[in-house]
Amino acid sequence: MKIICVGMNYPAHTDEFVPLMEHGFKSVSEEPVLFTKGDTPLRPGFPFFIPDFAERFDYEAEVVVRISRVGKYIAERFAHRYYRDVTLGIDFTARDLQKKLIAEGKPWTLSKAFDGSAALGDWIHKDELGAPLEALSFHLDVDEKTVQQGNTRDMLFTIDRLVSYASRFFMLKTGDMIFTGTPAGVGPVNIGQHLTGYLADHRVLDLDIK
């Protein structure tokens, strides 16, 4: 199982992300920015325990699709055939560590791919969402206050484009997941908080921070 993630896929998040880096980070890309996480995601119902190797861990709420059949070099017009289930996930980021790694010209891996850095909600079939996946609203609440909200129509690269693009580099297999990018509003988590995530009107994610 692979977890493929997309960076800077929402313009508003890109605007807030680049100042966080403070080191001349280039934000504009003509192709999707991909990175991977380890195969140790948090399952629904499990808490996120804040690690001790960084000072700040940020939530990044993202629509996640799960690959349902094997594919390689998938044409974009056929990409919708390769996934059925969708959820909301959290791409946890060790932000201060990420800033340090970028400043040193090193890969992001330690700040993005640590154990438990991908939290998952409950899966829902895309046909049951009540909204087209190309215009799907979603939001994340922290302690019942909305901190992030987005809509997939604002993506720089559509889900089908991401599936097609990723398949150029990776053999997509059943069970692989693609985190499709986060909108504006990322912020740090603290012990004792409770995160709740929604796809349209469907509450799919409940997560305690410990």
Side-chain angles (χ1 to χ4, degrees):
M1 178 197 69
K2 295 184 290 297
I3 301 176
I4 301 169
C5 302
V6 182
M8 298 175 293
N9 199 26
Y10 288 82
H13 171 58
T14 299
D15 290 343
E16 72 177 356
F17 173 79
V18 174
L20 283 174
M21 295 301 100
E22 300 176 353
H23 297 286
F25 190 82
K26 184 177 179 181
S27 63
V28 178
S29 176
E30 295 180 357
E31 295 185 321
V33 175
L34 302 185
F35 60 94
T36 60
K37 286 184 175 286
D39 60 351
T40 55
L42 286 178
R43 299 301 182 185
F46 283 75
F48 175 71
F49 289 93
I50 296 179
D52 62 1
F53 55 78
E55 296 298 322
R56 171 172 167 168
F57 290 84
D58 282 5
Y59 56 78
E60 298 185 14
E62 311 193 11
V63 173
V64 185
V65 296
R66 182 167 60 185
I67 299 301
S68 57
R69 57 189 291 193
V70 175
K72 179 72 174 173
Y73 294 110
I74 301 167
E76 186 173 343
R77 67 183 183 277
F78 298 132
H80 65 280
R81 302 179 181 178
Y82 287 81
Y83 58 89
R84 294 191 300 263
D85 297 326
V86 188
T87 192
L88 193 76
I90 305 294
D91 167 15
F92 282 109
T93 303
R95 189 68 71 196
D96 53 323
L97 178 57
Q98 184 189 37
K99 288 173 63 175
K100 178 177 181 291
L101 293 170
I102 289 175
E104 295 173 353
K106 296 178 181 178
W108 300 4
T109 306
L110 295 180
S111 67
K112 283 283 194 178
F114 56 89
D115 290 346
S117 62
L120 296 167
D122 296 319
W123 297 100
I124 182 170
H125 195 287
K126 61 185 179 181
D127 293 340
E128 299 175 3
L129 288 170
L133 200 51
E134 299 80 6
L136 177 64
S137 63
F138 59 97
H139 69 275
L140 177 72
D141 293 353
V142 176
D143 293 336
E144 301 184 351
K145 178 182 178 181
T146 299
V147 293
Q148 277 191 287
Q149 51 189 342
N151 193 296
T152 55
R153 65 171 172 251
D154 297 324
M155 288 179 169
L156 295 174
F157 304 101
T158 66
I159 292 174
D160 287 353
R161 169 80 170 113
L162 296 174
V163 170
S164 175
Y165 184 78
S167 74
R168 291 172 55 190
F169 304 93
F170 307 101
M171 174 74 75
L172 298 182
K173 298 181 179 181
T174 302
D176 288 349
M177 291 171 276
I178 299 179
F179 279 63
T180 60
T182 195
V186 302
V189 293
N190 297 289
I191 292 174
Q193 290 179 326
H194 183 75
L195 278 58
T196 324
Y198 297 81
L199 293 178
D201 295 326
H202 302 273
R203 179 168 169 166
V204 295
L205 181 138
D206 281 279
L207 180 65
D208 291 316
I209 307 298
K210 295 188 176 181

